[in-house]
Amino acid sequence: MTVLWTDALVYLLLLTTIGLAFYLHDKEHIQRPLNKIRASKVGMVSLVVLLFFLVVGLLDSVHFKASQEKANEVISLLDYFATPLREHNEKTYSAPFATTLYSKEIVEQNGVIHWDYPRLVHGGNHLKYPGKEQLTDILIKGLTGFLIGVVIFVFPLIPIIDVRDYIINFVSNQNDIVPIVKPPTEYNKPVLMTLFLILTISSTLGYLSLYYHVLGTDKVGEDVFYQAIKSIRTGLVIGTLTTLIMLPLAIIFGILAGFFQGWVDDVIQYIYTTLNSIPGVLLIAASILMVQVYMNSHEADFTSAIVRADMRLLFLCLILGVTSWTGLCRLLRAETLKLREMEYVQAAQALGVKRAAILLRHILPNVMHIVLISVVLDFSSLVLAEAVLSYINIGVDAATYSWGNMINGARLEMAREPIVWWSLSAAFVFMFALVLAANLFADVVQDAFDPRSMGERN
Amino acid sequence: MAEPLLSVEQLSVIFNRQHKVVDDISFVIYPGETFALVGESGSGKSITALSILRLLPNTANLDAKSIQLHGEDLLKLSDLDMCKIRGRRIGLIFQDPMSSLNPVMTIGEQITEAIHVHHPLPKSETQQRVLELLQQVELPDPQQKIKDYPHQLSGGQRQRVMIAIALASKPDLLIADEPTTSLDVTIQAQILALLKNLQQQTGMALWLISHDLALVSSIADRVAVMQEGKVVETASAVELFTHAKHPYTQRLLRALPSMQSCLQNQAEERPTLLQINDFYCHYPIRKGLFKRIVGYVKAVDGVSFEIQQGKTLALVGESGCGKTTLGKSLLNLIPNHFGSVIIDGIALNGLDGELLRKQRANMQIIFQDPFSSMNPRMLVNDIIAEGLKALHPEISVQDRKERVLSLLQQVGLPEFAALRYPHEFSGGQRQRICIARALAVMPKLIVCDEPTSALDVSVQAQIIQLLKNLQQEQGISYLFITHDLAVVAEIADDVAVMWQGKIIEQGSVEQVLFNPQHDYTKKLISAVPVKSHGN
């Protein structure tokens, strides 16, 4: 197993989250808002979607060497599962579900040379007469994939459901035997529905992609579906790691400046106004180039392409984090200025509570709603920023799969005639699903953890 | 009696289809009379007024048999016609004159706007009319004030401008929703006198909405008392204040603090607990690039007094006189103060850091606003236990829990309150939690900064009773900061009157309230609204 830098950070983040959840699981006042989240349909549905993205991202974060011979090729668990997808490369563009390339070429058939759409190497190559069989084949394969999804969905339930009871119940037509599994309640119905949809859709697409390119192929003939899935990790890493770097800076500086005022405030304000007055793009470009130079001069340490790409991703997160904390810091400073005059802070002072405790107990929890909102907004804008930076070649490595790179590539594809729309659409749909789910979930979390909104809704 | 001006029959207002805020009420207002609708907060009195003007929020549903103004049914009017009623025939004044005026328009412009909406006049006449209105509301120096912005006026002057705007269209009915609640007691008296005066000049009807029975008694002709959405009693003012029939009205009247209540106090010498000598609190005014100090705001300017153990000193004064600053700087909550503070033999000045923190237990504070004085994200248990945790870390978790429960019991709250959040309680209950928080560290002195002025009369009486009981049981002293002289009579042993940062009169309650020496004290006492009927 090979652990890349970003992998390590992702594991660390995951462990911290689990640890935090374990620490809080018996705290009564945390349980109450959590129950509220559980009761919220929107919250649970978006959580399921987020978890799905997370699982894909995690699978993609477990790296190992592909084989003994090829020491330099590091692949992830996701790559391993998606081997057919990964290796089914075509020559160039092909449309979703197509059996031929997107443009005409000189084809040699039975010794005759003519100008036609050449057949794809992998997409639909099991068909003899693509024109006739294609549609029925897609439907049959799609249905098979759907059924596999249904089985995967039902399978974990089988050991829990006592089938015998159901059969007896059914045969004797008695209603007094209570099934062990409770029927879906109002709350978990939408969750099961979402889970069902996600499983069936992904297994349908997964099964189909063994035979076709469900989202087409890109300029060099790579499967777009595979690219879109691989980009999930990049999006999550940029969104979470950058936030992780930005949050401590913003929270600590913002609260300290607002609470202590005086020279502390002056110093912190100078720091962030200075940082703000340097164009962010230049700073990012400079540090990315620095990393590039460093890697070139230490080539021995960065043997494989994936390690180099990962280093660049990590530094991108780092520098994005360092340049983007000022906005939140300013907001938090202003809010703290307001909060420190609140009477409960004065009451705590009168009770002899130490300043550190006041900051932690009275100020921090009361600015958390701002933190939460801006984190979610930043998450989406960071995914977008990545796209912009890729455009001027200082974003993630060109070899890294990312929605930004896909959108960047689509610049030329949109200008083509006939237009190549699938790369952009795929990136858009995946990004949209992730950002929307994150936004909706954050909304619900914020409502649930604000005691003042309790009882007003639900 | 004459034809009624406004008659309301069987009015109900329901919020979100479930909460009945106004419940089947009927009343009439006759031309030229002063009608007062009195009730505690949440009784639905403001909603009643808004529903008649059709200004309710969207979540509210209105149901009424009829609402008639001069025999015209307001329920049948279209929204457009309703606009012509609002402001033109029914004027409205709100509680807070600051937020009711547009801060970026001069008051002249705002009054002009009000005139033009209803009766467009040529420019010269408009100017004339604005001046006339400002003279009518007795705003000093109207020629000059026309060009002023709202922030340049005092609270009382702003309320006068609001009244001028309401009068611009010569309404038949003026609704005044708590017109004096946010004003000082002397200004309050002036505004009331003005309203009464204007009513006599113009012959309009005045509908006064208030929580303050004493204030109403001095001005109203007829009074309706509201409780939980229902009108429980309607009677002429004289009758209501002499022979209240409904038990709720009787209870409200009994809860009214009265100046006479201090007469049974007996003086008894006790050892001194807190001694303050030559206490100053000067804020530096800084200007320029290097923040040079160019002068000082003298919030507290050389104050000396002492409080005896188990006694209450009331600090009385109008807003801006420095009484709150004094209270907070005694506890070292605000900087820039100097002077000697000796509590229980320990001098506090010069202490800081850890030494000061150790002395915190001696003095505690209760704030005016029970809503902002507790962290909304902490459980009541944690709020009360916070001081114990900070000052007595040696107490075990179990003991601390028990102590919190016993404190809750002392302030009259149930045990399950410990696991609730502050927002789940009413204003009075919150104030009880604040008292429990202060008591937790066993203070010798509690600074009460207007602890009852955000509360209803009956709740106010309960809180004062609670404070008195605690004083008797535990021998705590209070520094009771208030603007309400009637409350002073209920609770205090001694009174100090503050004016512009200085204490101008000091003595026992009886002496100050019934034999004031200083002119300012005399003015304050004469401005207190007292029940003008009965007793």
Side-chain angles (χ1 to χ4, degrees):
Chain A
M1 205 172 131
T2 319
V3 180
L4 299 175
W5 270 101
T6 48
D7 290 346
L9 288 172
V10 167
Y11 301 152
L12 191 71
L13 194 62
L14 192 69
L15 282 181
T16 327
T17 319
I18 292 171
L20 203 65
F22 188 74
Y23 171 72
L24 293 174
H25 86 282
D26 59 347
K27 299 271 184 294
E28 206 259 330
H29 60 293
I30 301 287
Q31 283 302 311
R32 243 182 294 174
L34 287 188
N35 284 333
K36 245 185 106 182
I37 298 178
R38 266 175 225 133
S40 147
K41 287 178 191 169
V42 179
M44 288 314 281
V45 168
S46 49
L47 180 66
V48 171
V49 176
L50 276 182
L51 281 179
F52 175 73
F53 275 105
L54 199 68
V55 167
V56 175
L58 284 177
L59 280 181
D60 206 7
S61 295
V62 184
H63 288 97
F64 51 89
K65 288 190 176 124
S67 55
Q68 290 301 328
E69 310 91 70
K70 287 186 259 176
N72 272 348
E73 196 187 346
V74 178
I75 62 169
S76 71
L77 219 50
L78 185 77
D79 293 328
Y80 179 75
F81 291 137
T83 306
L85 267 179
R86 187 159 55 98
E87 289 174 351
H88 286 185
N89 284 350
E90 306 294 342
K91 198 171 156 203
T92 178
Y93 292 120
S94 73
F97 291 110
T99 54
T100 58
L101 281 182
Y102 201 52
S103 49
K104 285 186 175 173
E105 274 176 19
I106 296 164
V107 196
E108 191 191 324
Q109 206 171 26
N110 308 326
V112 188
I113 289 172
H114 53 106
W115 186 246
D116 199 4
Y117 296 104
R119 279 293 293 268
L120 294 181
V121 187
H122 299 282
N125 67 343
H126 59 292
L127 301 175
K128 202 139 194 207
Y129 305 102
K132 284 181 202 158
E133 301 167 26
Q134 194 184 9
L135 195 64
T136 33
D137 188 61
I138 289 171
L139 283 178
I140 290 167
K141 295 253 155 54
L143 200 64
T144 321
F146 179 79
L147 289 176
I148 293 171
V150 173
V151 171
I152 296 174
F153 176 70
V154 176
F155 188 69
L157 296 178
I158 289 175
I160 326 174
I161 303 172
D162 199 334
V163 185
R164 226 174 23 171
D165 276 359
Y166 272 106
I167 296 170
I168 297 169
N169 207 343
F170 187 72
V171 172
S172 59
N173 220 356
Q174 284 173 332
N175 282 328
D176 52 339
I177 299 167
V178 188
I180 290 172
V181 173
K182 285 176 204 144
T185 59
E186 269 308 292
Y187 296 146
N188 56 30
K189 220 183 214 164
V191 174
L192 287 177
M193 282 296 287
T194 327
L195 211 58
F196 179 76
L197 275 177
I198 289 182
L199 281 175
T200 49
I201 290 176
S202 48
S203 78
T204 309
L205 288 178
Y207 189 73
L208 275 170
S209 63
L210 294 176
Y211 303 95
Y212 295 96
H213 300 289
V214 284
L215 292 174
T217 55
D218 75 343
K219 193 175 177 186
V220 291
E222 262 194 331
D223 193 289
V224 173
F225 185 48
Y226 174 71
Q227 288 181 337
I229 291 175
K230 285 289 282 180
S231 302
I232 291 174
R233 176 175 186 270
T234 316
L236 286 177
V237 164
I238 289 188
T240 50
L241 289 191
T242 307
T243 317
L244 211 64
I245 291 157
M246 172 196 107
L247 274 190
L249 288 172
I251 293 179
I252 293 172
F253 283 151
I255 289 182
L256 288 184
F259 191 76
F260 289 107
Q261 297 174 323
W263 66 267
V264 182
D265 190 23
D266 286 345
V267 168
I268 292 172
Q269 279 196 66
Y270 279 127
I271 295 177
Y272 72 59
T273 24
T274 311
L275 204 61
N276 248 11
S277 58
I278 304 169
V281 174
L282 290 186
L283 212 60
I284 293 168
S287 61
I288 290 292
L289 290 175
M290 254 163 57
V291 176
Q292 206 69 46
V293 169
Y294 178 81
M295 286 193 298
N296 287 342
S297 55
H298 294 77
E299 243 172 273
D301 301 336
F302 302 95
T303 42
S304 75
I306 193 159
V307 176
R308 296 171 69 98
D310 182 72
M311 203 62 199
R312 189 160 161 166
L313 178 63
L314 182 66
F315 259 83
L316 185 68
C317 292
L318 209 74
I319 195 69
L320 271 177
V322 170
T323 49
S324 62
W325 60 272
T326 51
L328 180 59
C329 181
R330 217 176 286 192
L331 282 178
L332 291 182
R333 176 181 166 268
E335 186 69 13
T336 311
L337 277 177
K338 195 184 89 189
L339 285 179
R340 76 187 292 275
E341 300 301 325
M342 292 297 276
E343 285 172 344
Y344 56 80
V345 175
Q346 294 193 337
Q349 275 171 340
L351 284 168
V353 181
K354 288 180 180 156
R355 281 197 283 204
I358 290 179
L359 284 176
L360 283 179
R361 219 178 296 151
H362 295 283
I363 307 277
L364 188 62
N366 283 298
V367 297
M368 272 330 260
H369 62 286
I370 297 182
V371 173
L372 202 70
I373 294 166
S374 61
V375 160
V376 175
L377 289 180
D378 281 351
F379 180 83
S380 7
S381 66
L382 284 172
V383 176
L384 298 175
E386 185 263 313
V388 174
L389 294 176
S390 300
Y391 180 85
I392 47 175
N393 249 332
I394 52 169
V396 293
D397 197 271
T400 310
Y401 296 105
S402 80
W403 293 316
N405 274 342
M406 286 168 77
I407 292 171
N408 184 24
R411 256 187 310 150
L412 295 174
E413 293 166 4
M414 301 307 282
R416 254 183 68 107
E417 182 62 41
I419 193 170
V420 175
W421 49 268
W422 45 88
S423 264
L424 184 71
S425 318
F428 170 76
V429 168
F430 274 77
M431 212 157 96
F432 178 75
L434 178 62
V435 170
L436 183 68
N439 270 314
L440 290 177
F441 187 64
D443 257 5
V444 174
V445 171
Q446 200 218 327
D447 270 2
F449 276 89
D450 187 358
R452 279 164 293 196
S453 71
M454 271 183 196
E456 280 168 24
R457 288 183 210 176
N458 299 330
Chain B
M1 211 178 236
E3 182 91 338
L5 173 67
L6 178 76
S7 80
V8 176
E9 271 181 78
Q10 295 174 7
L11 171 77
S12 296
V13 179
I14 302 172
F15 272 80
N16 293 328
R17 298 178 194 281
Q18 38 187 342
H19 304 295
K20 212 163 200 177
V21 176
V22 177
D23 191 3
D24 194 21
I25 66 170
S26 307
F27 59 88
V28 288
I29 298 175
Y30 296 100
E33 76 165 345
T34 304
F35 175 77
L37 191 60
V38 183
E40 299 192 280
S41 60
S43 60
K45 48 195 196 304
S46 292
I47 292 295
T48 307
L50 291 180
S51 63
I52 282 157
L53 290 172
R54 221 187 277 171
L55 288 173
L56 289 174
N58 286 334
T59 48
N61 277 342
L62 185 144
D63 181 35
K65 195 173 167 199
S66 78
I67 301 175
Q68 288 186 338
L69 183 71
H70 271 317
E72 185 181 10
D73 198 339
L74 296 186
L75 288 172
K76 290 190 182 121
L77 291 182
S78 68
D79 281 351
L80 196 67
D81 290 332
M82 208 47 215
C83 282
K84 290 178 188 151
I85 299 284
R86 280 183 223 131
R88 188 175 304 184
R89 296 182 49 197
I90 304 180
L92 188 58
I93 312 169
F94 293 102
Q95 174 176 347
D96 184 3
M98 188 70 225
S99 57
S100 316
L101 289 170
N102 185 344
V104 296
M105 274 167 80
T106 63
I107 61 166
E109 284 166 7
Q110 296 189 49
I111 298 174
T112 311
E113 196 184 20
I115 296 170
H116 276 256
V117 169
H118 298 294
H119 307 281
L121 292 173
K123 204 171 176 193
S124 56
E125 280 176 53
T126 312
Q127 188 74 4
Q128 195 52 45
R129 177 89 180 106
V130 171
L131 270 180
E132 212 177 281
L133 279 167
L134 288 179
Q135 273 155 4
Q136 214 176 358
V137 296
E138 294 160 23
L139 196 71
D141 197 10
Q143 284 285 5
Q144 190 56 43
K145 290 277 191 307
I146 265 186
K147 295 185 196 92
D148 279 356
Y149 288 91
H151 71 268
Q152 290 168 298
L153 306 182
S154 70
Q157 290 175 334
R158 275 182 225 136
Q159 196 59 292
R160 283 172 198 271
V161 173
M162 277 309 293
I163 296 173
I165 289 174
L167 287 180
S169 57
K170 298 177 188 152
D172 302 330
L173 174 64
L174 182 65
I175 304 179
D177 189 353
E178 306 262 9
T180 59
T181 310
S182 57
L183 303 174
D184 276 327
V185 81
T186 47
I187 312 290
Q188 184 175 332
Q190 290 169 10
I191 295 285
L192 281 183
L194 172 72
L195 281 174
K196 195 77 200 165
N197 202 352
L198 285 171
Q199 184 192 22
Q200 273 155 9
Q201 278 175 28
T202 58
M204 66 181 175
L206 180 64
W207 176 5
L208 193 67
I209 296 172
S210 178
H211 67 281
D212 190 344
L213 270 174
L215 179 145
V216 159
S217 75
S218 63
I219 177 170
D221 300 322
R222 281 188 321 121
V223 181
V225 179
M226 259 185 110
Q227 181 196 17
E228 285 166 19
K230 290 191 177 72
V231 170
V232 293
E233 186 164 3
T234 313
S236 75
V238 183
E239 207 182 307
L240 190 92
F241 286 101
T242 47
H243 308 99
K245 288 195 188 73
H246 196 274
Y248 178 69
T249 320
Q250 291 167 353
R251 195 147 56 86
L252 276 184
L253 286 172
R254 264 203 312 276
L256 272 185
S258 93
M259 302 264 277
Q260 272 74 24
S261 60
C262 62
L263 291 177
Q264 321 96 1
N265 279 0
Q266 62 258 47
E268 172 196 348
E269 278 302 311
R270 300 255 184 87
T272 306
L273 176 73
L274 175 79
Q275 199 174 1
I276 287 168
N277 272 319
D278 248 9
F279 196 80
Y280 294 86
C281 192
H282 287 183
Y283 291 110
I285 306 167
R286 288 170 196 274
K287 270 201 180 135
L289 185 61
F290 298 102
K291 300 193 175 161
R292 208 159 33 88
I293 298 172
V294 292
Y296 290 94
V297 178
K298 295 175 181 170
V300 179
D301 199 16
V303 166
S304 311
F305 59 85
E306 56 176 61
I307 302 178
Q308 295 171 356
Q309 266 171 27
K311 295 247 184 161
T312 304
L313 173 73
L315 197 58
V316 187
E318 301 196 318
S319 58
C321 74
K323 56 190 195 302
T324 297
T325 312
L326 174 59
K328 286 187 176 171
S329 52
L330 275 184
L331 276 95
N332 245 312
L333 294 178
I334 31 185
N336 300 319
H337 55 85
F338 40 96
S340 117
V341 180
I342 299 168
I343 182 160
D344 212 18
I346 303 162
L348 288 187
N349 39 321
L351 292 185
D352 57 297
E354 199 59 9
L355 286 172
L356 176 70
R357 207 172 71 81
K358 288 275 186 289
Q359 293 303 323
R360 289 287 197 192
N362 283 334
M363 263 198 272
Q364 284 303 310
I365 187 165
I366 303 168
F367 295 100
Q368 171 175 6
D369 181 7
F371 292 84
S372 69
S373 56
M374 280 182 285
N375 187 341
R377 282 161 201 273
M378 275 168 79
L379 293 173
V380 168
N381 180 49
D382 299 337
I383 292 174
I384 298 177
E386 185 163 39
L388 281 178
K389 243 192 238 174
L391 292 175
H392 302 284
E394 72 280 359
I395 299 177
S396 74
V397 176
Q398 193 52 43
D399 287 354
R400 209 154 58 205
K401 235 175 219 168
E402 273 163 28
R403 176 108 179 87
V404 168
L405 292 184
S406 85
L407 281 166
L408 281 175
Q409 203 195 345
Q410 276 178 40
V411 296
L413 286 174
E415 280 196 359
F416 62 79
L419 289 177
R420 298 284 175 86
Y421 286 99
H423 72 97
E424 293 169 68
F425 296 92
S426 68
Q429 287 171 323
R430 283 174 199 229
Q431 208 54 293
R432 283 169 193 269
I433 299 172
C434 291
I435 294 174
R437 171 174 65 186
L439 285 178
V441 292
M442 290 175 275
K444 300 194 177 84
L445 172 83
I446 298 183
V447 176
C448 306
D449 188 0
E450 309 245 13
T452 59
S453 54
L455 305 175
D456 283 324
V457 202
S458 56
V459 182
Q460 170 178 320
Q462 291 167 13
I463 294 289
I464 287 177
Q465 197 52 50
L466 173 67
L467 286 172
K468 276 167 128 178
N469 291 346
L470 289 170
Q471 183 166 51
Q472 270 170 10
E473 286 164 22
Q474 310 187 3
I476 305 170
S477 310
Y478 297 124
L479 174 62
F480 200 94
I481 299 170
T482 185
H483 67 278
D484 190 342
L485 284 166
V487 172
V488 168
E490 291 270 334
I491 191 163
D493 299 298
D494 299 298
V495 182
V497 182
M498 240 181 128
W499 183 60
Q500 295 188 349
K502 291 191 174 73
I503 288 183
I504 49 162
E505 187 160 0
Q506 204 169 356
S508 75
V509 185
E510 248 181 277
Q511 195 186 326
V512 174
L513 293 191
F514 293 96
N515 190 13
Q517 299 300 315
H518 198 278
D519 283 344
Y520 177 72
T521 320
K522 284 179 191 160
K523 200 173 119 203
L524 261 187
I525 290 169
S526 67
V528 173
V530 280
K531 270 191 288 177
S532 40
H533 314 276
N535 276 94

